[in-house]
Amino acid sequence: MTTTTADGALEPERNRAWLKRAKPLALAWLLLVLGYFCWEGFWYTGLYAALAEWEHARYDWYSPVGNFSGLVLLFGAPPIVIVKLIERAQRHREPPPIVEERTAGLRAAAGLARWLAWAAGGLAVATLVSVLLIFIDLPGDSGTPQQLSAVANRFQVREGVTQVEFASAPKRAILFRMRWPGELIRTSFAQVESKLANGQKITLFAELSSDELGHFAHDGVSNTRLGILVRNGLPGTTVSYLNGAGIHVANPYYVLYRSALSSRLRYLAVSVQLATGALVIFLFWIAQRLRVRDIRRRMGTSAEPAVTPN
């Protein structure tokens, strides 16, 4: 006589219940990883900075959006992939369903649409987080300007609107360019060595206009200027480039931008790139959804057909 146990009958249900709990956890982990690497990219630190430094040393450029996307996929996607593999393995252990060819095509098309929706949503969330960080963490242009004078050796520093008087005109400048598509940003910074009130040296970089850069070698720049002071505010690989050239940049250093917009411009450019990626994938999602709708119309139903088990 043959007997069966309740455990064997309940095992598929237990697996389905486990997968139902695991999917939200995998998604939460992906969102956590996405937020973390948004923070690393914004502050140019951790694995994001290490990867950018390696790319810059090897290829003389790096891709902010590409590096961000790659790190999120590398560290955020594995739990989702594992859940999907377990789900597929479970389906293979269960009795094979009777699936028509058209139904299989519909399922594949609908599955691709879901992946496109997740990708577009992830980039949209990254765009939102990056924009929020820009306006939360970077100083604005409101408030009374602080007066910093390297001439009188008074240099008490805080971020925000600042008027600086240099002890001497800057003698050295560095050019920063951000490409793709085309040349998005081209800006330069003049290095100034000054002192704090206690005699400690401080490194200050002043953003130059295009006219100032063009006349920098002959006329120098103005010794007094008003702008937005940002702590450790140089773009990406600029500091490592200066250190590699034998120009040591002490931490902390400060950057005097010409305006709040110019201090945020490169971050906004990355946000635009993320938003562009989200938009492109969203358009692919729309096209895929139209294809799914067309398949359902040709099958004569507006809902995904049910699968009849053996």
Side-chain angles (χ1 to χ4, degrees), residues 16-158:
R16 278 191 285 270
W18 179 88
L19 287 171
K20 191 174 182 179
R21 291 191 297 268
K23 286 180 180 179
L25 293 176
L27 176 59
W29 171 255
L30 177 62
L31 293 175
L32 179 64
V33 169
L34 187 148
Y36 174 75
F37 283 114
C38 277
W39 176 83
E40 274 202 355
F42 185 84
W43 288 109
Y44 194 75
T45 187
L47 286 173
Y48 179 93
L51 180 58
E53 298 288 343
W54 178 84
E55 284 180 322
H56 191 269
R58 189 174 181 87
Y59 305 109
D60 199 32
W61 62 272
Y62 80 100
S63 171
V65 174
N67 289 358
F68 166 78
S69 301
L71 288 169
V72 170
L73 288 175
L74 180 62
F75 291 95
I80 293 179
V81 173
I82 291 171
V83 168
K84 288 294 182 182
L85 290 175
I86 294 174
E87 194 175 41
R88 175 175 292 185
Q90 179 182 332
R91 284 200 302 266
H92 288 169
R93 287 196 299 268
E94 294 176 355
I98 300 173
V99 182
E100 294 183 5
E101 184 177 350
R102 291 181 303 172
T103 304
L106 174 59
R107 284 186 167 183
L112 177 57
R114 284 192 295 270
W115 281 108
L116 289 172
W118 281 114
L123 287 177
V125 170
T127 302
L128 179 61
V129 171
S130 65
V131 171
L132 287 175
L133 286 173
I134 290 170
F135 289 97
I136 290 174
D137 287 329
L138 291 178
D141 53 6
S142 61
T144 303
Q146 64 176 330
Q147 303 292 325
L148 301 184
S149 173
V151 176
N153 200 24
R154 298 193 309 273
F155 227 86
Q156 301 296 334
V157 185
R158 62 174 171 81

Side-chain angles (χ1 to χ4, degrees), residues 270-284:
V270 173
S271 298
V272 169
Q273 291 176 350
L274 289 169
T276 302
L279 177 60
V280 170
I281 297 176
F282 177 71
L283 294 176
F284 276 107

Side-chain angles (χ1 to χ4, degrees), residues 102-103 105-111 113-114 288-306:
R102 291 181 303 172
T103 304
L106 174 59
R107 284 186 167 183
R114 284 192 295 270
Q288 188 65 18
R289 288 295 299 172
L290 292 175
R291 179 170 177 264
V292 170
R293 182 180 298 178
D294 183 61
I295 293 174
R296 286 176 173 166
R297 181 183 57 79
R298 286 188 279 111
M299 292 178 65
T301 177
S302 61
E304 186 170 337

Side-chain angles (χ1 to χ4, degrees), residues 249-270:
V249 180
N251 187 18
Y253 63 88
Y254 292 86
V255 181
L256 185 70
Y257 283 92
R258 291 184 294 125
S259 67
L261 176 61
S262 65
S263 71
R264 296 168 174 172
L265 198 56
R266 70 181 189 276
Y267 298 104
L268 290 172
V270 173

